[in-house]
Amino acid sequence: MRLLAATDFTGDGRADILAANTNGNLYLYPGNGKNGITGSSVVGSGWGGIRLIAADFNGDKKGDLVAAHTNGNLFFYPGNGKNFASGSVSSTGWTNMRMLSAGDFTGDGKADIYAVHNSGDLYLYAGKGNGTFHTSRKAGAGWQNMRLLSEADFNGDQKSDLIAIHTNGNIHAYSGNDNGGFGTPIVTPPQSSNRQMSGCGWVLRYDFGAFHLNRCNAPKSYVSCGACSPHFYRRSQQLVGDGEMTRT
């Protein structure tokens, strides 16, 4: 089973999981709001090898899918709370995009996409709020050594930030400015052993395929100790690839 995407697909305010079996079947696992799930159902087939990201791309409060197919077309699949409608082509030329992350990076209330090209260039695709996107603009370079990309508000300012994991294990945290740009990244190297927490710092969890910021009473994979200091330490979960994880 391969973890593909996570968001509120059912419209009940709880995060759900989408995963694909090796045969290409797409499974929906509704969340229970307590880091657990309540069963599963098959919601599609033929999804093997397709790169997916999830967000509410059309503003109806239900999670949708955007999929980069092997032919380079980007498809939009609107969610209806139970499964997904037929896809429509929303963009082309995505063959060489290797990592995708969705979030409101422009601060207009519409889901956008950041994509890393095989060349290492980072592109922003601002969402129109209907499952399609404006023409891309280059937002950075030198991302060829990043192996994971995820949106998170790690500093609590209600703006979408970007978290990237370098191949050397360093965590790069880029604070967003709500205009599609980022500040200088805060880089935290991997730790040789778990760090004990004291006080009331913050916890950054890799949870259901995305990063979440929480108080220190529930430590998970990467944590930041101190008064909201955005430095992260490896905990009981280990990131193993783009959107996948395993426990140690």
Side-chain angles (χ1 to χ4, degrees):
M1 192 68 73
R2 183 167 59 100
L3 177 65
L4 295 178
T7 192
D8 179 14
F9 294 106
T10 57
D12 62 358
R14 301 169 180 172
D16 312 308
I17 299 175
L18 274 182
N21 205 337
T22 53
N23 61 10
N25 285 344
L26 190 66
Y27 288 81
L28 173 63
Y29 297 84
N32 62 10
K34 300 177 181 179
N35 292 326
I37 56 175
T38 58
S40 66
S41 60
V42 177
V43 294
S45 59
W47 291 84
I50 297 175
R51 188 174 297 280
L52 293 179
I53 53 174
D56 180 12
F57 290 103
N58 59 8
D60 66 353
K61 310 299 183 184
K62 299 182 179 70
D64 311 308
L65 290 180
V66 164
H69 285 242
T70 53
N71 62 5
N73 288 339
L74 190 74
F75 280 79
F76 168 60
Y77 298 85
N80 59 18
K82 296 181 180 179
N83 47 40
F84 302 94
S86 298
S88 59
V89 177
S90 61
S91 184
T92 59
W94 290 72
T95 304
N96 294 314
M97 297 299 181
R98 66 182 186 88
M99 289 192 300
L100 309 176
S101 183
D104 181 14
F105 299 108
T106 57
D108 62 357
K110 301 171 183 176
D112 314 307
I113 295 177
Y114 263 110
V116 176
H117 193 273
N118 283 338
S119 65
D121 291 338
L122 180 71
Y123 290 90
L124 172 66
Y125 294 80
K128 297 181 180 180
N130 60 1
T132 64
F133 303 89
H134 293 283
T135 301
S136 67
R137 67 175 175 87
K138 186 177 176 179
W143 290 70
Q144 62 271 17
N145 291 320
M146 299 300 182
R147 62 181 174 89
L148 187 144
L149 194 69
S150 185
E151 182 271 346
D153 179 16
F154 71 81
N155 57 10
D157 64 355
Q158 307 303 312
K159 298 175 184 177
S160 286
D161 309 315
L162 203 60
I163 306 291
I165 309 296
H166 196 278
T167 53
N168 63 11
N170 287 348
I171 302 174
H172 293 241
Y174 298 82
S175 58
N177 62 11
D178 260 2
N179 193 32
F182 297 94
T184 302
I186 297 168
V187 180
T188 302
Q191 303 297 303
S192 58
S193 62
N194 285 349
R195 181 183 176 97
Q196 296 298 317
M197 298 183 62
S198 61
C200 196
W202 291 91
V203 174
L204 187 69
R205 299 187 302 162
Y206 188 73
D207 193 18
F208 285 2
F211 288 98
H212 301 279
L213 194 64
N214 290 277
R215 285 289 186 178
C216 62
N217 59 352
K220 294 291 183 179
S221 33
Y222 289 92
V223 301
S224 169
C225 296
C228 303
S229 172
H231 294 275
F232 307 102
Y233 301 91
R234 189 179 301 275
R235 298 293 292 187
S236 59
Q237 294 176 353
Q238 179 184 2
L239 300 174
V240 295
D242 184 15
E244 298 182 8
M245 75 176 177
T246 184
R247 288 188 178 272
T248 56

